[in-house]
């Protein structure tokens, strides 16, 4: 049966994430019939809101998503607000009473999903009280969804995980990486593992290099307080980029199920080469945006220190020493205030060695996965140039989703929340993946922190560009170049 019965308890129910992503995602699941009669949502936060006020907030967050006001009202009637102080044990009794009441009213079979959409420093406390006060003691399932940052290094991530795992088992903890909910990211496995012509060439004999770009045109916006203590390495590389890399280079899983897929991803993270300080220097570069195109420098943004050394751009070369991919350079790049907002993967294949056309240069064979914007794939090949003179030229086979197809693509959060309702962890990060990814990251962070760059090293790229020149030089050293420019 399609309909899922569940009670959602959203900690941070008044927050930005809830309003921008969670309520619209729940509404889409409602429209598509995954949520129907048997669901309820308790929003919690400190401020004293009424149910009516909360429902108005929910309604305005889904404004314009459907014509029928009746449908919106019906949906919003499932939402309840409970003012809650996460540190106050008594508040969990009140919450439990409401949860039990809604469970009976909507016949939810004791299924509960706790969405911790708030600062990770509360994750441990909330998990503890959910257990000790009996909220998570029901006949149905009790699952916890948590959002990044999962720590700021291996040590703090482990402490966080130790706390949560005292109360919830690994299979009930869903660590969200919203990139794993994106349709074209989910397509990586379909491409790799359902096309013999691709799987046959997906190895270090045929692949010259892999490039992953997550460029953003926005700056730090209003998130300076968080971002200045995080930086691009923690904000984007540790999670989104490494997850994409794992999907691109992991060995073939035995089946498309969470256990098998995550096992292969864990092996990949384990095989990710951890760099020495010298290797960090040789393989990673960073940048910070300066003014350009009428946009202010990072150091002039709200809540940013005028001498901040936080990186807003990272480019690097990774190596994964598994059997098929050892030796293939994996170039990654991400930054704020770059020329465009794009998420894109380029797989560059080795050139045909036995060319019969003498000195004539051949174009690279490149498989491109466009995640955003314009989702789709492209493959470039050499074909004959039209005319009498025999020469080759580059031809691109391109497939983009049509407008109508793109409209059917679920939002990342919608896909992921449905996965949680299904108890399917395939698109979520296992603790073991996190563990190795932090070890990899810590080595870079440590080398950088010890290097002590002069304050005037930054800014080193202007707003609206593809990042600092050292990013191009990183590839040029290997005789390569960024395909996406
Ligand atoms: C978030 C980062 O995880 O991803 C943000 O914290 C970033 O800094 C965002 O802007 C990008 O996500 P998307 O889906 O817009 O590419």
């Amino acid at each position: 049966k399609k309909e899922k019965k569940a009670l959602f308890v959203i900690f941070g129910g008044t927050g930005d994430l809830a309003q921008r992503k969670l309520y619209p995602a729940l509404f889409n699941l409602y429209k598509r019939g995954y949520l129907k009669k048997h669901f309820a949502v308790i929003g919690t936060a400190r401020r004293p809101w009424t149910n009516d006020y909360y429902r108005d907030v929910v309604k305005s967050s889904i404004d314009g998503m459907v014509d029928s006001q009746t449908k919106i009202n019906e949906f919003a009637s499932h939402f309840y607000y409970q003012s809650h102080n996460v540190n106050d044990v008594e508040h969990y009794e009140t919450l439990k009473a409401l949860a039990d009441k809604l469970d009976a009213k909507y016949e939810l079979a004791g299924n509960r999903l706790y969405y911790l959409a708030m600062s990770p420093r509360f994750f441990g406390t909330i998990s503890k009280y959910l257990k000790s006060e009996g909220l998570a003691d029901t006949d149905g399932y009790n699952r916890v969804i948590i959002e990044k940052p999962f720590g700021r290094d291996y040590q703090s991530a482990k402490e966080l995980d130790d706390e949560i795992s005292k109360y919830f088992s690994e299979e009930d903890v869903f660590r969200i990486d919203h990139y794993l909910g994106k349709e074209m990211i989910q397509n990586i496995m379909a491409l790799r593992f359902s096309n013999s012509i691709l799987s046959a060439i997906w190895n270090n004999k045929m692949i010259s290099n892999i490039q992953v770009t997550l460029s953003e045109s926005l700056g730090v916006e209003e998130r300076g307080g968080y971002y200045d203590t995080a930086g691009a390495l923690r904000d984007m590389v540790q999670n989104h980029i490494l997850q994409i890399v794992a999907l691109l280079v992991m060995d073939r899983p035995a089946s498309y199920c969470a256990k098998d897929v995550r096992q292969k991803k864990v092996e990949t993270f384990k095989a990710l080469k951890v760099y020495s300080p010298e290797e960090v220097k040789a393989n990673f570069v960073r940048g910070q945006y300066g003014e350009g195109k009428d946009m202010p420098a990072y150091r002039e943004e709200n809540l940013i220190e005028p001498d901040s050394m936080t990186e807003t751009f990272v480019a690097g070369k990774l190596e994964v020493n598994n059997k098929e991919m050892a030796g293939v350079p994996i170039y990654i790049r991400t930054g704020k205030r770059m020329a465009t907002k794009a998420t894109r993967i380029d797989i560059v294949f080795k050139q045909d060695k036995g060319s019969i056309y003498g000195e004539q240069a051949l174009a690279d064979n490149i498989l491109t996965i466009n995640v955003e914007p314009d989702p789709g794939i492209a493959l470039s090949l050499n074909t004959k140039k039209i005319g009498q003179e025999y020469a080759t030229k580059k031809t691109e086979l391109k497939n983009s989703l049509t407008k109508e197809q793109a409209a059917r693509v679920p939002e990342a959060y919608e896909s992921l929340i449905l996965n949680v309702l299904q108890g399917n962890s395939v698109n979520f990060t296992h603790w073991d993946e996190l563990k190795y990814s932090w070890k990899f990251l810590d080595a870079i962070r440590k080398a950088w922190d010890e290097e002590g760059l002069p304050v005037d090293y930054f800014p080193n790229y202007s707003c609206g560009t593809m990042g600092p020149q050292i990013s191009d030089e990183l590839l040029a050293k290997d005789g390569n170049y960024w395909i996406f420019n």
Side-chain angles (χ1 to χ4, degrees):
K1 201 155 134 268
K2 197 173 174 184
E3 189 194 358
K4 303 279 170 255
K5 296 181 177 185
L7 171 71
F8 296 80
V9 184
I10 302 181
F11 292 88
T14 58
D16 182 60
L17 180 79
Q19 294 188 45
R20 263 187 326 111
K21 300 288 184 187
L22 306 186
Y23 302 145
L26 291 177
F27 186 59
N28 274 331
L29 291 173
Y30 183 70
K31 278 203 314 195
R32 295 188 216 260
Y34 292 107
L35 298 179
K36 265 182 172 159
K37 282 197 185 128
H38 304 286
F39 85 100
V41 180
I42 303 179
T44 81
R46 294 207 52 166
R47 50 187 95 165
W49 281 5
T50 60
N51 285 343
D52 282 343
Y53 187 80
Y54 180 48
R55 287 172 191 168
D56 283 345
V57 169
V58 171
K59 282 186 218 169
S60 63
S61 74
I62 56 173
D63 196 26
M65 287 175 69
V66 77
D67 293 337
S68 148
Q69 194 57 42
T70 327
K71 187 135 192 144
I72 290 186
N73 290 341
E74 235 171 61
F75 172 73
S77 74
H78 290 251
F79 285 68
Y80 297 79
Y81 187 78
Q82 178 65 55
S83 167
H84 181 86
N85 172 357
V86 294
N87 291 314
D88 189 335
V89 58
E90 281 172 20
H91 284 204
Y92 291 81
E93 287 171 24
T94 321
L95 200 56
K96 180 178 186 306
L98 178 60
D100 291 346
K101 194 176 107 192
L102 296 178
D103 197 307
K105 175 169 174 173
Y106 293 97
E107 298 167 21
L108 305 177
N111 294 333
R112 292 183 185 173
L113 212 143
Y114 309 96
Y115 205 119
L116 312 193
M118 56 194 310
S119 166
R121 67 176 192 277
F122 300 122
F123 290 177
T125 311
I126 298 174
S127 310
K128 180 170 94 189
Y129 288 146
L130 286 177
K131 272 282 168 184
S132 71
E133 300 318 297
L135 257 110
D137 188 13
T138 62
D139 290 340
Y141 59 71
N142 282 270
R143 298 176 182 147
V144 180
I145 308 181
I146 54 182
E147 283 276 341
K148 75 160 212 291
F150 311 120
R152 43 181 294 111
D153 51 21
Y154 168 71
Q155 195 50 41
S156 54
K158 180 163 186 331
E159 283 162 19
L160 192 61
D161 190 70
D162 285 348
E163 272 288 290
I164 298 171
S165 62
K166 266 191 241 166
Y167 311 103
F168 290 91
S169 65
E170 177 67 27
E171 62 171 29
D172 290 324
V173 179
F174 291 77
R175 298 178 192 83
I176 289 234
D177 184 313
H178 76 282
Y179 269 68
L180 296 182
K182 295 188 189 236
E183 188 76 6
M184 289 308 296
I185 297 293
Q186 296 190 354
N187 226 318
I188 295 173
M189 273 208 267
L191 282 167
R192 287 194 57 197
F193 304 123
S194 54
N195 297 293
S196 61
I197 59 164
L198 289 183
S199 50
I201 58 172
W202 211 274
N203 54 49
N204 53 14
K205 284 176 215 69
M206 294 300 298
I207 295 180
S208 154
N209 67 88
I210 293 176
Q211 306 186 5
V212 178
T213 299
L214 270 56
S215 67
E216 297 192 80
S217 47
L218 290 180
V220 64
E221 312 302 305
E222 298 313 314
R223 295 165 71 227
Y226 150 76
Y227 194 86
D228 208 37
T229 63
L233 194 64
R234 290 191 183 98
D235 188 49
M236 299 289 280
V237 179
Q238 183 273 322
N239 37 67
H240 311 320
I241 288 193
L242 289 185
Q243 285 293 328
I244 295 172
V245 168
L247 291 172
L248 288 170
V249 306
M250 69 182 185
D251 289 336
R252 178 186 291 257
S255 77
Y256 183 77
C257 76
K259 184 173 146 283
D260 292 336
V261 171
R262 300 212 296 189
Q263 182 196 340
K264 290 301 167 195
K265 279 169 72 190
V266 172
E267 285 171 18
T268 309
F269 281 105
K270 232 178 183 167
L272 182 62
K273 182 165 186 214
V274 176
Y275 289 140
S276 69
E278 293 72 46
E279 288 168 330
V280 169
K281 230 177 174 158
N283 294 311
F284 266 80
V285 300
R286 56 195 146 143
Q288 186 193 78
Y289 61 84
E291 59 180 26
K293 305 218 165 122
D294 286 334
M295 292 175 284
Y298 178 70
R299 286 172 176 173
E300 290 158 32
E301 302 265 25
N302 216 355
L303 304 174
I304 306 299
E305 296 296 327
D307 56 354
S308 169
M309 292 304 285
T310 300
E311 79 283 357
T312 62
F313 175 97
V314 178
K317 175 164 109 176
L318 279 55
E319 288 172 43
V320 172
N321 288 317
N322 63 8
K323 196 167 138 251
E324 301 291 345
M325 287 294 167
V328 176
I330 304 161
Y331 301 111
I332 57 114
R333 172 174 63 157
T334 185
K336 300 241 178 239
R337 281 277 188 251
M338 291 174 65
T340 51
K341 165 79 187 165
T343 301
R344 132 168 196 165
I345 298 158
D346 291 289
I347 313 290
V348 186
F349 292 93
K350 290 184 179 167
Q351 292 219 341
D352 192 335
K353 282 213 191 75
S355 172
I356 58 174
Y357 307 109
E359 296 296 283
Q360 238 186 77
L362 295 176
D364 282 321
N365 293 138
I366 301 167
L367 174 71
T368 299
I369 303 173
N370 278 309
V371 180
E372 278 160 343
D374 191 19
I377 53 173
L379 179 66
S380 54
L381 299 171
N382 288 289
T383 58
K384 182 186 167 301
K385 200 169 181 174
I386 297 167
Q388 300 291 11
E389 199 185 316
Y390 205 96
T392 61
K393 70 165 179 54
K394 175 179 157 181
T395 298
E396 195 174 66
L397 309 179
K398 193 162 189 257
N399 170 268
S400 298
L401 299 193
T402 61
K403 265 212 175 106
E404 185 262 329
Q405 286 171 327
R408 291 209 318 266
V409 170
E411 260 275 3
Y413 275 91
E414 182 192 340
S415 298
L416 295 175
I417 292 175
L418 180 59
N419 280 164
V420 184
L421 286 166
Q422 295 163 333
N424 179 358
S425 309
V426 72
N427 294 311
F428 294 82
T429 311
H430 191 281
W431 162 247
D432 290 337
E433 296 171 48
L434 208 59
K435 179 168 86 182
Y436 292 111
S437 73
W438 272 121
K439 290 195 168 166
F440 171 77
L441 214 81
D442 282 356
I444 301 168
R445 197 62 264 175
K446 186 158 174 278
W448 281 359
D449 291 344
E450 281 167 9
E451 195 181 1
L453 291 178
V455 174
D456 65 0
Y457 184 84
F458 292 145
N460 59 354
Y461 71 99
S462 307
C463 289
T465 66
M466 285 310 274
Q469 206 182 333
I470 41 176
S471 153
D472 296 330
E473 289 163 6
L474 180 73
L475 275 68
K477 273 197 302 194
D478 300 339
N480 293 321
Y481 62 98
W482 289 110
I483 303 297
F484 177 50
N485 247 315

